[in-house]
Amino acid sequence: MFKSMRTALFLTYSSIILIVFATFVLFFYSWSTQQLRGQTTSTLDSFGVSIQDQLVQQIEQLNRVSLNVMYSNLVKERFASYMSDRRPADGRPADPDASANNNSTSPEDAASGRPEADPVADAQQQRFRQNNDAKVLTDALTAIIGPSRLVEQIYLYSFNGRYYGTGFDNRERAYKPEEAPFIEQLLQGQPGKLISDPNLDLQLSKYYSSEAGKYSISLYRLLYDEYNVPIGAIEVKQYAHRILASAADFESNNPYNGHIYVLNRDGRIIYPFEHDSERNEAFRSLVASLDKGSDLHRNLPFTDPITSEKQLLSLHHSSSTGWTTILTTSESDLFRPLQKFTFQLFGTAFVLLALGIGLSFYAANKITFPIYRIRRAVRNFSFEHIGSNIIAQQKMNSGFIELDELHDAFQSMSERLKQSLDHLLLAEAQSLQAQLNALQSQMNPHFLYNTLANLQEMAEQRMNEPLIATIEHMSDFLRYITSKERQVPLRDELTHTINYLEINKMRFGERLTYRVSVPEELLSQTVPKLAVQPLVENSIKFGTSQAPPWRIDIIGSMTDTCWQVEVRDYGGGFEPDKLARLQARLSSLEKESSLPTLELNGMGLLNIYLRLNLIYGEHKIFEIRNHPTGGASVRIGGLLHKE
């Protein structure tokens, strides 16, 4: 799995440190999150209970004021008297029968001789009675409001379309039934109170300079006479921001950046006054299934539909007001300080982690570096180092006895290897030289027999001048092949090859042509002796089996690392089966790991291949092929300046 011991040890030590660190951080974060969530939930519950109690107290104050009005006989008497003298909102007399009786003379008065009623006096008396009723009614309602101003405004509504106000708005005015839908709700519903949502109040807002005074909350209930018959309705008003002061205080000042929402009996948000419809629908769905017949509080999971954030939610419902208080706080805001602390912890732990990893690296390196040095010495070991005392001079001093002994054993092994290798190299060198000499000695008789056969043929045909020239070429030829050099400059090899071509040209005349194209800088390159001429000989042998003319091309080239010489003829080429057998033989020689033997069936191509393989090894070039247009070519080569 691991590529090195040092990597294995380093990764093992580092993994242990990382696992311990990650386990600690995850446990700490999980534990802290649970503690913080529990603490926050408990705090939200406490805030919710406190705020709900304060809201109930505020509504209860409105309720007590309305009960004081309802149970005040003075208020009921004066309100009934006051409104009985007022005309309905449509302008008709309040009581037509009573008006007719007041404006006519009874038979008894006529019989007794009493004077008829004076209309002007009656009107004055009615106005006096109304003013007195209004004064007494105002004083009574003002006393109920009191100096602490538990409510800011009281309105008394009659069923004849008029109402009377005390507080900031001290007026008696007419109203339309659609302007007071609460009266119909009170008459049709169960006896008791009715609490309104915060409404934009244009009357009270005139007397309060800030934006908070725009909204008011009203509590309604019926007003009964002494016979428990409804004679009107009571409305007590208070600024909404005073009733909801505890909610506003939590919204602006809480430790968790939380939010508070107050819902009415129908589940609609009444605070804050401006809110999103999506969140309103989400809360309505949340409280729809709750039992609202009693007080309750719950902690529920909730996802904000606007921000899609998970939130902690504490819900509190009051059966007396019908209001539901919801406190929420975002988990991301809640856990942000914890995350910040965790990041700081990560920073501190990262330094300790880096130190721990550094120590693990030092420990792994301390153990594996001596082994690495031994491995590097073995990997870089070459024949040039044997006997040079380079290895012997390297001291380990690793601090580990076992590794020092392993290094000493390697040094002893290298010394013994030097001795064995010296004997082996000597034997191999002698064997190699013997094989080269044997191959070269096989080439010489081969050329000699062919040349003597050509001379015999020219002598029989009495070709004196060609015979003399051929003998001169043959003299140079024999001098070349009998020299002791095993590798010669390419220039000498080409000169010898041209001598051979000229000998054959004396025989074949103009039917044989040749071309030599070799770069000047390649002529000094040393090549195996008798490497090119046998290829030309082979081309003439097989090329002249076809009808003349016969053409031989000798083309030389070189790259940055190799030299190449190609000999091509334009005859019939190699027979396919012979070419296949020859290439198979060459492939088998290529796969042999030891030096090839001299079991050859004749001279020629295999002889050249073996000598190239002995000299150049895997860098040799030896290619045989037939050309599609006719003829064949053999390409040989090797490394430049290979001695």
Side-chain angles (χ1 to χ4, degrees), residues 168-182:
F168 286 117
D169 184 14
N170 298 308
R171 294 182 299 174
E172 181 262 332
R173 298 185 64 184
Y175 71 90
K176 297 179 181 180
E178 59 269 18
E179 295 176 352
F182 56 87

Side-chain angles (χ1 to χ4, degrees), residues 20-67:
V20 172
F21 172 73
T23 302
F24 169 75
V25 171
L26 290 177
F27 173 79
F28 172 78
Y29 187 80
S30 176
W31 179 82
S32 300
T33 300
Q34 293 179 359
Q35 293 295 318
L36 185 58
R37 182 182 282 109
Q39 179 182 357
T40 304
T41 301
S42 177
T43 304
L44 289 179
D45 285 344
S46 299
F47 274 115
V49 171
S50 175
I51 293 172
Q52 189 72 10
D53 290 342
Q54 293 182 53
L55 293 179
V56 171
Q57 291 177 8
Q58 292 293 331
I59 297 299
E60 188 60 29
Q61 289 180 359
L62 298 183
N63 187 46
R64 285 199 300 269
V65 171
S66 68
L67 290 175

